Amino acid sequence: MPTIYAATTDRDINSGIQSSWSGARDASTGTLGGSASDTSESFAAGALAFAGRGSTTYKVNRCFFHFDTSGITGTVSAATLKIYFLTDVNDGNVIIIKSDAFTGGSNALVADDFNNLDFSTPYSGEVNTTTAGLTSITLNATALADIKNNNDFKFAVVNFDYDYSDAAPSTSNYVGLRFADHSGTSSDPQIDYTLQTGYTNDVIGVAFGSINKVNGVATASIEKVTGV
């Protein structure tokens, strides 16, 4: 099973402390965390609330990743994203969603990328981050298609219960993780993927992914159907 690793441009962005939840979650720009060479971040993805005198303020942290998928041209039948999570505080679970970040020169992440993500296009389900370590995340069919069809596969890691769900938190909820700059590659953000074998074209309007057999023959054993 081939493995690809995240570019070392991975990084986090936070909204800064805002007077309202919408001001934090929907901010058009943010503040880059640390430096591009950081090996980890304790507040990688989170939704934070700070109780003050008569009011509560908020802060959102998001983490962005970029994979070079230009060498993947075949149909991807399965893919598992692996991220090394650190300490989880309160409701720190996350979700992986589509992003068009890294708009700076040489594909660098910039502050204005904070809101360059698509909440309507999740690449995974809710990811449990309560156990620190390398966590396997199954990517969905939308992610598989984007890995195949695009030279760059970009996504954001965001808090599930509050940021993704757009619900104002009453406490601080976050999780840390390791970046691609961490020593070695064993704990780097990585994707293991499997390419579809056999026949991978649609048959009379039915997507190949929904076909197990053609005239009783498994698709993995078929190279052509009526010469195609």
Side-chain angles (χ1 to χ4, degrees):
M1 181 181 295
T3 300
I4 55 175
Y5 295 89
T8 55
T9 50
D10 52 0
R11 201 170 177 183
D12 62 294
I13 311 177
N14 69 79
S15 66
I17 297 176
Q18 305 295 331
S19 60
S20 68
W21 169 245
S22 61
R25 183 180 186 267
D26 302 328
S28 60
T29 190
T31 300
L32 289 166
S35 70
S37 60
D38 282 352
T39 60
S40 65
E41 169 56 49
S42 298
F43 295 85
L48 293 81
F50 308 96
R53 294 181 178 178
S55 65
T56 300
T57 55
Y58 302 91
K59 184 179 181 182
V60 170
N61 294 63
R62 296 168 180 163
C63 212
F64 296 83
F65 295 87
H66 171 209
F67 285 77
D68 179 356
T69 51
S70 60
I72 302 175
T73 56
T75 298
V76 181
S77 60
T80 301
L81 168 66
K82 296 179 181 179
I83 294 178
Y84 196 105
F85 290 107
L86 304 174
T87 301
D88 167 291
V89 175
N90 295 323
D91 298 321
N93 285 2
V94 301
I95 188 170
I96 313 301
I97 63 174
K98 185 173 184 175
S99 170
D100 57 354
F102 300 95
T103 58
S106 301
N107 289 318
L109 193 68
V110 296
D112 285 350
D113 284 326
F114 177 76
N115 215 29
N116 284 343
L117 69 178
D118 184 357
F119 285 104
S120 68
T121 308
Y123 280 154
S124 75
E126 181 179 4
V127 179
N128 188 320
T129 60
T130 54
T131 301
L134 197 64
T135 298
S136 295
I137 304 164
T138 300
L139 297 177
N140 62 25
T142 302
L144 303 188
D146 284 351
I147 290 172
K148 174 195 173 185
N149 296 328
N150 300 303
N151 288 331
D152 303 282
F153 181 62
K154 304 174 184 179
F155 60 83
V157 179
V158 304
N159 178 269
F160 179 81
D161 287 319
Y162 302 102
D163 193 5
Y164 177 71
S165 303
D166 194 11
S170 58
T171 59
S172 290
N173 312 270
Y174 57 90
V175 67
L177 56 77
R178 287 182 179 174
F179 291 130
D181 278 302
H182 197 275
S183 178
T185 59
S186 62
S187 65
D188 283 0
Q190 56 197 268
I191 296 174
D192 296 335
Y193 66 93
T194 302
L195 294 177
Q196 179 78 27
T197 58
Y199 193 72
T200 59
N201 292 315
D202 296 353
V203 177
I204 57 173
V206 180
F208 82 90
S210 300
I211 301 172
N212 291 322
K213 295 181 179 180
V214 177
N215 289 336
V217 180
T219 53
S221 301
I222 300 172
E223 293 184 356
K224 294 182 179 181
V225 175
T226 61
V228 179

